[in-house]
């Protein structure tokens, strides 16, 4: 049999063959030069050119239009969680006024997990949760509350329980079957994993589960989630773990004022559906002074932070209750405009903070970080108001109208304490 080239030469002749080969070469070169991205643009009129988290087609899940409120087991109970602790907490929230004040989510943090079953589905620790997670969720829902759970983007949680890596869709499905309304998703044992990829994957898995599940990202701020996660999560931790101390670093944990200073400059990134999370409340934990707990709660409220209590609700003191249930302060946190308040003046230990409210008013904190009482003045200029404006002031801790003020408002503020007011026309 004649070789192919001779057959071709016979059919199309020498000149034709050369033309044919040249055409082949040209086609190969041209195809090789088309990058996959360009090829995709040809096929896809709306190509994703950034990361999935920043896809312009991406929608937020619509949850957490105001900062979420609730309770989480970690700050008080750490790994010592069980069915009774969670049920007692749900009973307390439903009956002590917290539910009426807006606290809604009851969240089990780390250490509820058992092993994965033969099909890879996560199970609860049977000794701690003998009736299973579904029964617990039903119990909480029957109280008119919502139920949250915890996992981790790595192979293991920070407490060494099974993490969700490689099981994201399966875990989201399991949570939806149990009736989970809130997932806190941690960042231990993640190795070289990319945070944007890992959180977007779980965000997508939660949406695919078919149940609205609020997504709380706990990545400690390492990958600057405020830059990319507005449509991925509903809140993201901005710092390492909180501890019930006034200031400073304590091992991996941070005191309250130290966290405030990390979280404050991030105010432009917060808004309805996506909040900076300076970690859960320590009100009623540890041995801070009443003034320090007041400062903590006032600043978290003004910073539009999630208000997730972290103390033992079944045994809390009247003093702790009065702080957590201060409806005037909670109303500032839950204001519909969803602006994160921030510092507008500072001189040494004395500061003025302001949060614009939906009705054009302001919530204002005079904060004394020092150890001696001091006078602090909020000037209307600091708040973006003309000095001639007359405004009605209300003291949010004394629950008292202070009458009309013009130009400024001054008060003496105790050591480590706040004065918190609203100003309205
Ligand atoms: C990390 C988180 C904490 C808590 C623990 C649980 O430290 O930042 O909030 O969830 O893990 O192990």
């Amino acid at each position: 049999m004649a070789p192919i080239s001779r057959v071709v030469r016979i059919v199309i002749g020498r000149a034709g063959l050369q033309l044919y080969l040249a055409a082949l070469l040209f086609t190969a070169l041209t195809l090789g030069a088309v990058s996959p991205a360009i090829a995709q643009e040809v096929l896809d009129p709306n190509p994703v050119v950034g990361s999935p988290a920043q896809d312009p087609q991406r929608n937020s899940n619509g949850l957490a239009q105001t900062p979420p409120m609730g309770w989480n087991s970690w700050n008080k109970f750490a790994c010592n969680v069980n069915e009774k602790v969670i049920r007692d907490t749900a009973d307390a929230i439903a009956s002590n006024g917290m539910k009426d004040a807006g606290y809604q989510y009851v969240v089990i943090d780390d250490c509820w997990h058992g092993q994965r079953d033969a099909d890879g589905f996560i199970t609860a620790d049977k000794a701690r949760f003998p009736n299973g997670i579904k029964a617990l969720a039903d119990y909480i829902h029957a109280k008119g509350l919502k139920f949250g759970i915890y996992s981790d983007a790595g192979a293991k949680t920070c407490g060494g329980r099974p993490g969700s890596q490689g099981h994201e869709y399966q875990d989201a499905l399991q949570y939806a079957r149990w009736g989970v309304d809130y997932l806190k998703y941690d960042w231990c044992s993640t190795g070289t994993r990319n945070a944007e990829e890992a959180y977007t994957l779980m965000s997508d898995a939660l949406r695919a589960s078919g149940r609205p599940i609020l997504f709380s990202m706990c990545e400690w701020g390492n990958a600057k989630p405020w830059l990319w996660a507005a449509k991925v999560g509903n809140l993201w931790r901005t710092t390492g773990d909180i501890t019930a101390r006034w200031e400073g670093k304590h091992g991996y944990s941070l005191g309250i004022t130290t966290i405030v200073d990390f979280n404050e400059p991030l105010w432009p990134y917060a808004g309805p559906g996506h909040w900076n999370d300076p970690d859960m409340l320590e009100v009623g934990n540890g041995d801070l002074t009443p003034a320090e707990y007041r400062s903590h709660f006032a600043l978290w409220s003004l910073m539009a932070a999630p208000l997730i209590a972290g103390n033992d609700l079944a045994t809390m003191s009247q003093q702790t209750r009065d702080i957590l249930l201060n409806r005037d302060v909670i109303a500032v946190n839950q204001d519909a405009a969803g602006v994160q308040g921030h510092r507008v003046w500072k001189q040494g230990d004395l500061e003025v903070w302001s949060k614009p409210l939906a009705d054009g008013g302001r919530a204002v904190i005079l904060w004394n970080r020092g150890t001696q009482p001091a006078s602090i003045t909020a000037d209307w200029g600091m708040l973006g108001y003309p000095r001639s404006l007359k405004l009605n002031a209300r003291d949010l801790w004394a629950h008292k109208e202070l009458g009309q003020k013009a130009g400024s408002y001054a008060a003496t503020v105790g050591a480590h304490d706040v004065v918190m007011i609203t100003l309205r026309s």
Side-chain angles (χ1 to χ4, degrees), residues 333-346:
N333 177 262
Q334 295 291 302
D335 181 76
V339 178
Q340 177 174 331
H342 59 283
R343 185 163 31 217
V344 293
W345 178 86
K346 178 175 177 69

Side-chain angles (χ1 to χ4, degrees), residues 38 54 58 101 122 145 158 163 169 281 284 294 301 365 394:
I38 294 170
Q54 293 166 62
R58 192 177 186 82
I122 190 68
L145 299 169
C158 297
Y169 277 74
L281 297 168
R294 257 195 307 276
S301 294
I365 289 178
R394 177 177 173 81

